[in-house]
Amino acid sequence: MTEAVRAQAIKGAEKMDQLVTLDALALSASIRSKEISCREVMQAYLDHIEKINPLVNAIVSLRPAEELLGEAKRADQLLAQGMYLGWMHGMPQAPKDLASCRGIPTSKGSPLSSLKPDLNDAICVARVREAGAIFIGKTNVSEFGLGSNSYNPVFGVTRNAYDTSRIAGGSSGGAGAALAMRMLPVADGSDMMGSLRNPAAFNNVYGFRPTQGRVPYGAGGELFLQQLSTEGPMGRTVADVARLFATQAGYDHHCPMSGDTDVTGDAGQLERDFKGARIGWLGNYDGYLPIEEDVMALCEAALSDFTDLGCKVEQCQPDYPMEKLWETWLVHRHWLVGGNLGACFADPAQRGLLKPEAQWEVESGLHLTAADIFRASAARSDWYRAIHKLFEQYDYLLLPSAQMFPFDTATKWPRKVAGREMDTYHRWMEVVIGPTLAGLPAMSVPVGFGTNGLPMGMQIFGPARDDLGVLQLAHALEGLRPWASQAPLAVARGI
């Protein structure tokens, strides 16, 4: 090989590596202008995934390279003919392994699921496909999405992007780690108990849980009672998150509880002056929640950034007994998980294939009465009213995104947080249930790294339907502290 040929090869390899570092909107613009081809993008991502994915196990069910490169070539041909499908034209995507995607199996992390390719797309997936994305595989999850640790008997555990001995969070752990490792430009997640907020915090990216109903969930299954989970966007910039949200959101007749959105995806809409905005810091709910000292220190240090934006930050507390909120949460979760997995539990042959935590949820749900569920719903309503009262004083509220840093992958769930015993497999994530039960828009934003080198995030949440305002505040904070631009060491060394 001559020096000239070698230099050209090195230059080409550097270009391919640089493609995966582009934010989603920059990648989109480069594809549309034909500065880069869809095939170049796909090849760059596949090469990068081959190197990086074994470190974290974030992407599963990866499709054959020749199929994906063929689809990318067809995307280029469409562009050459003047046919542009949308802002995700030719962009690699991997839906969360709880969402149906035509042509790819949906395992849900369980051996009880069929490994045959799906015949139809979930609504969220269909909208991304319509925007031009090419689906390369799935992102790993916890079994049936239960627990904030993405391990399962089908694909194993997903590891943290910043320390592969630690967990990536869950249940959107694969999405969070894949984003941080630059294996996807943006990603979808879903969130019941912080399932996209927790992995976002643990992997130094953004995760947005929209107002309940803004993103249609499903379709299929029960349509009216499943109001704790919602799908939402994840990304490395707030502008990317907002653009994906605009793609996912909006009414669909298959989902009667869905509604319209106030976000168009125009990055210009994110600019806003927050001088004089009133911000309420909930902290650890006046000592109620056990939260590691370093987690609190990072979040409290980030409060000065809001002050630098011109906001007025004050400590505040809801007028509500927080232990009652946890009891309310348990009733709702037992009831809904039991409804989803009850048939599997009732079959002795299938029951043994459910992890113990899933069995516990179903068993607990079997003991609930209609009166129990009504009382829990009334208590949930009181919680919404208590939070709404706070929003009469404050424009936005803040909470940590997690109560502890990512823990060792050998641990399924922590038995103790900040010296306090955990009595369930998910109590260590109690900090996320408030926005969920109130149905409010909440975003995990990065707030830096602890003394242990691990990332952490903080939740910004706002009044119902103020999704745009939450995104705008996150965008303003990003302008001061672009933490998500700090790539994991494995990526920095390899690019």
Side-chain angles (χ1 to χ4, degrees), residues 9 16 54 57 102 122 202 234 348 355 372 488:
M16 298 293 272
N57 189 36
R102 189 176 74 244
F202 279 6
M234 301 176 72
K355 68 180 181 180
D372 292 331

Side-chain angles (χ1 to χ4, degrees), residues 268-287:
Q269 276 198 315
L270 295 176
E271 299 298 332
R272 177 176 163 187
D273 184 356
F274 279 93
K275 186 176 181 180
R278 303 162 300 171
I279 307 294
W281 166 237
L282 296 171
N284 59 9
Y285 288 125
D286 198 23

Side-chain angles (χ1 to χ4, degrees), residues 446-458:
V447 292
F449 298 80
T451 55
N452 53 16
L454 295 170
M456 183 45 59
M458 182 161 61

Side-chain angles (χ1 to χ4, degrees), residues 76-148:
D76 284 324
Q77 290 169 344
L78 288 176
L79 274 180
Q81 296 165 11
M83 298 175 64
Y84 181 66
L85 299 179
W87 80 280
M88 302 184 83
H89 189 110
M91 190 179 292
Q93 279 296 280
K96 184 176 178 178
D97 199 18
L98 297 181
S100 298
C101 180
R102 189 176 74 244
I104 305 176
T106 301
S107 82
K108 300 181 181 179
S110 170
L112 293 172
S113 298
S114 170
L115 291 182
K116 293 181 180 179
D118 288 327
L119 299 177
N120 300 294
D121 290 332
I123 294 170
C124 223
V125 174
R127 290 179 172 181
V128 168
R129 191 188 295 276
E130 289 167 4
I134 298 174
F135 297 111
I136 63 173
K138 292 292 191 75
T139 53
N140 201 29
V141 298
S142 52
E143 182 182 323
F144 287 112
L146 299 178
S148 286

Side-chain angles (χ1 to χ4, degrees), residues 141-395:
V141 298
S142 52
E143 182 182 323
F144 287 112
L146 299 178
S148 286
N149 181 1
S150 295
Y151 72 92
N152 63 68
V154 180
F155 294 113
V157 65
T158 296
R159 299 174 179 274
N160 191 278
Y162 290 83
D163 182 344
T164 56
S165 71
R166 308 295 183 104
I167 71 164
S171 58
S172 307
L179 272 173
M181 286 294 208
R182 277 57 177 173
M183 292 189 288
L184 291 173
V186 284
D188 66 281
S190 56
D191 189 294
M192 185 186 197
M193 194 176 181
S195 282
L196 61 76
R197 287 169 284 165
N198 163 251
F202 279 6
N203 291 281
N204 192 40
V205 296
Y206 295 90
F208 182 50
R209 177 193 169 93
T211 294
Q212 188 65 47
R214 281 291 173 89
V215 174
Y217 195 67
E222 192 279 317
L223 295 176
F224 293 95
L225 300 178
Q226 298 287 339
Q227 293 185 40
L228 292 186
S229 290
T230 181
E231 290 166 313
M234 301 176 72
R236 293 189 298 270
T237 72
V238 178
D240 287 351
V241 169
R243 190 67 187 87
L244 182 55
F245 174 49
T247 302
Q248 297 173 330
Y251 174 75
D252 187 282
H253 73 275
H254 295 98
C255 296
M257 309 301 285
S258 63
D260 294 328
T261 176
D262 61 352
V263 177
T264 68
D266 180 358
Q269 276 198 315
L270 295 176
E271 299 298 332
R272 177 176 163 187
D273 184 356
F274 279 93
K275 186 176 181 180
R278 303 162 300 171
I279 307 294
W281 166 237
L282 296 171
N284 59 9
Y285 288 125
D286 198 23
Y288 169 78
L289 289 176
I291 299 180
E292 289 182 349
E293 185 177 340
D294 281 358
V295 171
M296 285 293 288
L298 275 178
C299 291
E300 288 172 344
L303 298 180
S304 63
D305 295 333
F306 292 90
T307 302
D308 290 344
L309 292 174
C311 303
K312 182 179 181 181
V313 182
E314 296 177 350
Q315 288 190 338
C316 65
Q317 293 301 317
D319 183 14
Y320 193 92
M322 298 309 298
E323 184 60 41
K324 182 179 180 181
L325 189 69
W326 178 249
E327 294 167 0
T328 300
W329 173 259
L330 287 181
V331 172
H332 279 84
R333 188 172 172 98
H334 292 332
W335 175 47
L336 295 174
V337 173
N340 283 331
L341 297 180
C344 296
F345 183 85
D347 181 348
Q350 297 186 65
R351 183 184 306 174
L353 296 176
L354 291 172
K355 68 180 181 180
E357 294 83 1
Q359 294 185 42
W360 172 74
E361 294 278 15
V362 179
E363 285 177 322
S364 301
L366 292 174
H367 300 296
L368 295 172
T369 66
D372 292 331
I373 295 164
F374 184 84
R375 281 193 294 269
S377 187
R380 180 185 180 188
S381 302
D382 288 340
W383 168 249
Y384 175 83
R385 284 184 278 267
I387 290 296
H388 179 72
K389 189 171 182 179
L390 277 181
F391 281 125
E392 293 176 358
Q393 298 176 262
Y394 302 100
D395 299 301

Side-chain angles (χ1 to χ4, degrees), residues 390-414:
L390 277 181
F391 281 125
E392 293 176 358
Q393 298 176 262
Y394 302 100
D395 299 301
Y396 300 97
L397 299 173
L398 306 176
L399 273 171
S401 293
Q403 293 167 233
M404 63 185 302
F405 287 102
F407 48 84
D408 192 277
T409 56
T411 302
K412 291 185 177 179
W413 54 273

